[in-house]
Amino acid sequence: MSVQSAARRLTAPDIRARKGGEPIVSLTAYHAHTARLVDPHVDFMLVGDSLGMVMHGLETTVPVTVDMMILQGQAVMRGSARALVVVDLPFGSYEGSPQQAFATAARVLKETGAGAIKLEGGRRMAETVRFLADRGVPVMGHVGLTPQAINTLGSFKALGRDEASAALILDDARSIAEAGAFSIVLEAISEPLARQITQEVAPPTIGIGGSPACDGQILVLEDMLGLSDRVPRFVKKFAEIGPAIGAAVEAYASEVRARSFPGPEHVYAPKKS
């Protein structure tokens, strides 16, 4: 009798163990069908609070709720089998105290089945990262440009491009690394700084506008597929799906109006008696 073992989903310790090894590949995912397409090719999928902007047309990620994150986290888990799934904790759901963060993280992990959470912030969040890690919650950190702080930052712009701000971001990364983050996203910071952080911290770094020296890279799926009209400098469009979708819809509309769709092959004949 043959014994068939199910494929094991990657875990936070698997990602942490990749420090200095083969580059870690990641993309965002918000839907079951895109998760199914992405799953064979990536090491982890991030259910990012960017879904507020990508899916719901919000100006920022600030209005995103825990319920929104859980709903899309469940969808991504259903659509995937191999990659680690990480879910963002949205603004206002964790900053109040380590206890608040644990309550939110526990709910997200229980209700989605995901393997880790991500939160934004450096030194100010180190106590929370340690509190969560000590209680069995795998935490991915996020420093540099932190979109949830847009009302404080004023705009989405690259950071750490001068000596003073670079020193602060380096301290942020060191703080959450020492607190127990299993990996750290470095967003929109100067390339030399991202390289330095990668060399100095123990957890693997995941760049998004960082450096090719980072231990891995992540992009928003819709950005790299060409579905977004405006994208940051750090995005490379690996396809132009947006225009193709527009062309397909235009062709469909034209055939419906011309009554050439549906054709005989798309409709059902009555059963013969």
Side-chain angles (χ1 to χ4, degrees):
M1 182 175 67
S2 64
V3 178
Q4 205 171 30
S5 60
R8 184 178 72 88
R9 189 185 287 272
L10 292 173
T11 65
D14 292 327
I15 299 301
R16 185 179 180 91
R18 295 275 290 276
K19 178 70 178 182
E22 181 182 8
I24 299 162
V25 180
S26 177
L27 287 166
T28 62
Y30 317 119
H31 315 91
H33 65 280
T34 50
R36 192 170 295 112
L37 293 171
V38 168
D39 190 46
H41 308 290
V42 301
D43 301 301
F44 77 87
M45 283 181 279
L46 175 66
V47 185
D49 60 0
S50 51
L51 64 84
M53 302 168 76
V54 174
M55 292 180 61
H56 298 281
L58 298 172
E59 291 294 323
T60 73
T61 63
V62 172
V64 173
T65 67
V66 175
D67 287 341
M68 291 165 70
M69 298 307 306
I70 288 174
L71 184 65
Q72 303 313 136
Q74 291 169 339
V76 170
M77 285 296 295
R78 285 193 291 268
S80 63
R82 173 188 170 276
L84 169 68
V85 174
V86 182
V87 180
D88 263 335
L89 299 190
F91 178 74
S93 71
Y94 64 93
E95 298 93 336
S97 68
Q99 291 77 14
Q100 182 200 25
F102 179 77
T104 304
R107 183 186 169 204
V108 167
L109 295 182
K110 283 184 175 185
E111 294 188 27
T112 65
I117 59 92
K118 182 174 77 65
L119 53 77
E120 295 182 3
R123 182 172 55 181
R124 65 182 175 83
M125 294 308 302
E127 179 187 357
T128 294
V129 171
R130 182 173 286 107
F131 189 90
L132 295 179
D134 286 347
R135 286 158 179 78
V137 177
V139 181
M140 178 176 288
H142 184 155
V143 302
L145 173 60
T146 49
Q148 291 176 10
I150 185 60
N151 290 329
T152 299
L153 296 172
S155 64
F156 295 110
K157 59 184 177 181
L159 302 174
R161 303 179 77 177
D162 60 81
E163 190 172 332
S165 62
L168 292 174
I169 294 171
L170 177 59
D171 183 55
D172 281 341
R174 286 170 173 164
S175 296
I176 58 173
E178 292 167 3
F182 75 89
S183 62
I184 304 173
V185 173
L186 306 179
E187 180 167 0
I189 62 176
S190 71
E191 194 281 329
L193 175 59
R195 186 179 294 269
Q196 179 183 4
I197 291 172
T198 300
Q199 292 170 347
E200 293 193 15
V201 301
T205 58
I206 310 297
I208 178 167
S211 168
C214 289
D215 297 293
Q217 303 292 331
I218 186 169
L219 286 174
V220 171
L221 178 65
E222 285 77 2
D223 288 352
M224 60 86 73
L225 288 178
L227 288 168
S228 305
D229 293 333
R230 297 173 59 189
V231 297
R233 171 190 174 92
F234 54 71
V235 172
K236 176 179 178 179
K237 292 187 178 182
F238 287 81
E240 286 288 356
I241 305 298
I245 292 174
V249 173
E250 182 182 14
Y252 164 73
S254 176
E255 290 193 16
V256 169
R257 292 182 179 118
R259 297 192 182 276
S260 60
F261 175 84
E265 69 273 28
H266 304 120
V267 296
Y268 299 93
K271 286 184 178 181
K272 293 180 180 179
S273 55

